[in-house]
């Protein structure tokens, strides 16, 4: 699976923003720390301005035994499908469906791993689905921030994030 990179310099609007980013960089430990990032181009299971729904993404088929299913987002181009593992769903946004019916309970969502665990295994052949928002696990691209008041004001700050596999 591809790993995305992000340049966050455009989000830094003033000196206070830059100080906040530098403080976060120190707390994260530079490249060492992993954290959640919202990719505003791809942060939910639905397309465009459509609100996520419980039947957006198929995540498995019940076999009468399995109780835990991993969240994915399926990307489709023609007959080609690629499933991206979603490990950081946004808290309280996950909607779960079984055979197209929204579930109001009987399961727990692990928002740190992106899994749903049912109290009882879904029936054999039941289509399990989910919808919601998700973050991307990232780290800083470098252990260095080469920033000064002049470089930041001239637009020469290069502060990148890179997606990590979990």
């Amino acid at each position: 699976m591809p790993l995305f990179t992000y340049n966050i310099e455009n989000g830094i609007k003033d000196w206070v923003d830059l100080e906040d980013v530098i403080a976060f960089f120190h707390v994260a430990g530079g490249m060492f720390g992993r954290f959640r990032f919202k990719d505003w181009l791809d942060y939910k299971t639905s397309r465009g301005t459509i609100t996520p729904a419980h039947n957006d993404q198929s995540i498995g088929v019940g076999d009468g035994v399995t109780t835990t299913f991993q969240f994915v987002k399926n990307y489709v181009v023609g007959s080609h499908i690629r499933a991206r593992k979603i490990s950081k769903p946004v808290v309280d946004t996950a909607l779960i469906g079984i055979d197209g019916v929204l579930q109001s309970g009987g399961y727990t969502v692990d928002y740190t791993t992106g899994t749903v665990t049912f109290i009882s295994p879904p029936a054999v052949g039941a289509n399990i689905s989910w919808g919601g928002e998700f973050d991307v696990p990232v780290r800083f691209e470098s252990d260095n921030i080469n920033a000064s008041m002049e470089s930041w004001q001239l637009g020469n700050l290069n502060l990148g994030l890179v997606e990590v596999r979990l």
Side-chain angles (χ1 to χ4, degrees):
M1 290 301 297
L3 294 175
F4 290 84
T5 59
Y6 307 92
N7 188 319
I8 62 171
E9 70 183 68
N10 290 333
I12 302 171
K13 302 296 184 199
D14 56 33
W15 189 247
V16 173
D17 288 348
L18 182 59
E19 288 176 332
D20 289 344
V21 169
I22 290 171
F24 186 77
F25 182 82
H26 282 288
V27 170
M31 290 174 58
F32 179 74
R34 299 336 188 220
F35 51 94
R36 291 172 173 256
F37 176 75
K38 178 165 267 175
D39 177 353
W40 287 98
L41 297 176
D42 189 11
Y43 69 95
K44 59 186 178 140
T45 55
S46 57
R47 294 181 59 124
T49 59
I50 300 171
T51 301
H54 64 282
N55 58 352
D56 285 343
Q57 302 294 319
S58 180
I59 58 174
V61 176
D63 60 9
V65 176
T66 303
T67 56
T68 301
F69 296 84
Q70 177 67 53
F71 288 165
V72 297
K73 180 173 180 182
N74 296 295
Y75 297 86
V76 180
V77 176
S79 63
H80 301 283
I81 300 173
R82 177 72 66 148
R84 177 184 186 187
K85 177 182 173 184
I86 302 299
S87 57
K88 300 296 179 194
V90 174
V91 173
D92 294 334
T93 69
L95 303 169
I96 306 299
I98 298 179
D99 282 337
V101 177
L102 176 64
Q103 302 299 296
S104 60
Y107 64 87
T108 58
V109 173
D110 186 332
Y111 289 96
T112 62
T113 63
T115 57
V116 57
T117 301
F118 293 94
I119 294 169
S120 300
V124 174
N127 183 37
I128 315 306
S129 59
W130 90 286
E133 295 184 10
F134 57 90
D135 294 325
V136 178
V138 298
R139 65 170 173 79
F140 284 102
E141 194 170 35
S142 172
D143 270 333
N144 301 309
I145 293 182
N146 295 319
S148 67
M149 183 63 135
E150 295 85 21
S151 68
W152 174 71
Q153 288 178 328
L154 294 173
N156 293 332
L157 177 65
N158 188 4
L159 190 55
L161 305 176
V162 63
E163 184 176 1
V164 295
R165 284 194 175 93
L166 299 177

